[in-house]
Amino acid sequence: MRSARRFLPLLPGIIALGLGAHLAKAAAEVGQPAPPLAATELDGGKFDLAAMRGKVVIINFWATWCGPCREEMPALNAYYRRHHSDGVELIGISADRPRDRGDVVKMMQSFSYPAAMLGDVSVNGFGRPGALPLTYVVDAAGVVRAVMTPDKVAITDQVLDLTVTPLLPGGHAAG
């Protein structure tokens, strides 16, 4: 009993950590409303998920040092370019350290979609990603429709066509 008392002061923190982990996990589940997300983009523009109702939004957490992230970025970019005029928005949120911002800016010059640094996210109901890459697809009503990680399903043109295109007005996956 005496040794258990040593841990009593730690109990509120342990409970908070457990609750926080539960809330973070539950924050972006498929079929649930997307949590809030707002950021300042690399070019100074503003991204606010709440203001994007009516559009399908792809949120991709990535980093310059992440090989699987770099592998899927061309497919994300191609899909964005083909479907942006159809109502698709995409933001890449880099988990790189603030001091590596120059590397992020340089890498994003090859891509058409906007990006932000995780440190420039002012509201993040999605939480810090536990692994990279991590991609969410949010439908026009603001509901999370897919959560994609390379260990479950790698992002390819075909996966994006099957997952995102049906969410677009009049959308149907390429057959």
Side-chain angles (χ1 to χ4, degrees):
M1 182 69 167
R2 185 172 180 209
S3 64
R5 285 189 196 143
R6 292 187 311 177
F7 295 104
L8 283 177
L10 300 175
L11 194 56
I14 293 169
I15 292 170
L17 281 173
L19 181 60
H22 170 73
L23 291 175
K25 181 181 181 291
E29 290 185 2
V30 172
Q32 297 298 312
L37 181 67
T40 300
E41 298 169 1
L42 293 174
D43 67 1
K46 299 294 181 192
F47 175 90
D48 185 352
L49 183 58
M52 305 236 169
R53 289 287 165 93
K55 297 184 179 205
V56 176
V57 182
I58 302 169
I59 302 158
N60 175 248
F61 289 91
W62 68 285
T64 57
W65 47 262
C66 168
C69 299
R70 291 191 314 269
E71 288 175 19
E72 68 185 25
M73 289 171 79
L76 287 165
N77 190 60
Y79 191 85
Y80 174 77
R81 291 179 63 132
R82 277 194 316 272
H83 294 286
H84 180 68
S85 63
D86 299 330
V88 171
E89 294 294 336
L90 169 61
I91 186 158
I93 300 178
S94 171
D96 284 275
R97 297 172 297 209
R99 70 177 185 229
D100 296 325
R101 181 184 197 89
D103 294 337
V104 173
V105 169
K106 183 178 179 183
M107 187 166 185
M108 287 308 300
Q109 289 174 350
S110 301
F111 301 104
S112 302
Y113 59 91
M117 299 291 292
L118 189 56
D120 293 334
V121 174
S122 56
V123 177
N124 185 2
F126 287 84
R128 186 174 266 300
L132 296 173
L134 176 59
T135 303
Y136 296 93
V137 177
V138 178
D139 71 11
V143 175
V144 176
R145 291 299 173 196
V147 179
M148 296 183 270
T149 58
D151 61 324
K152 302 265 192 269
V153 59
I155 292 180
T156 63
D157 290 331
Q158 183 180 17
V159 165
L160 290 169
D161 277 336
L162 292 171
T163 307
V164 183
T165 304
L167 303 174
L168 298 174
H172 49 74

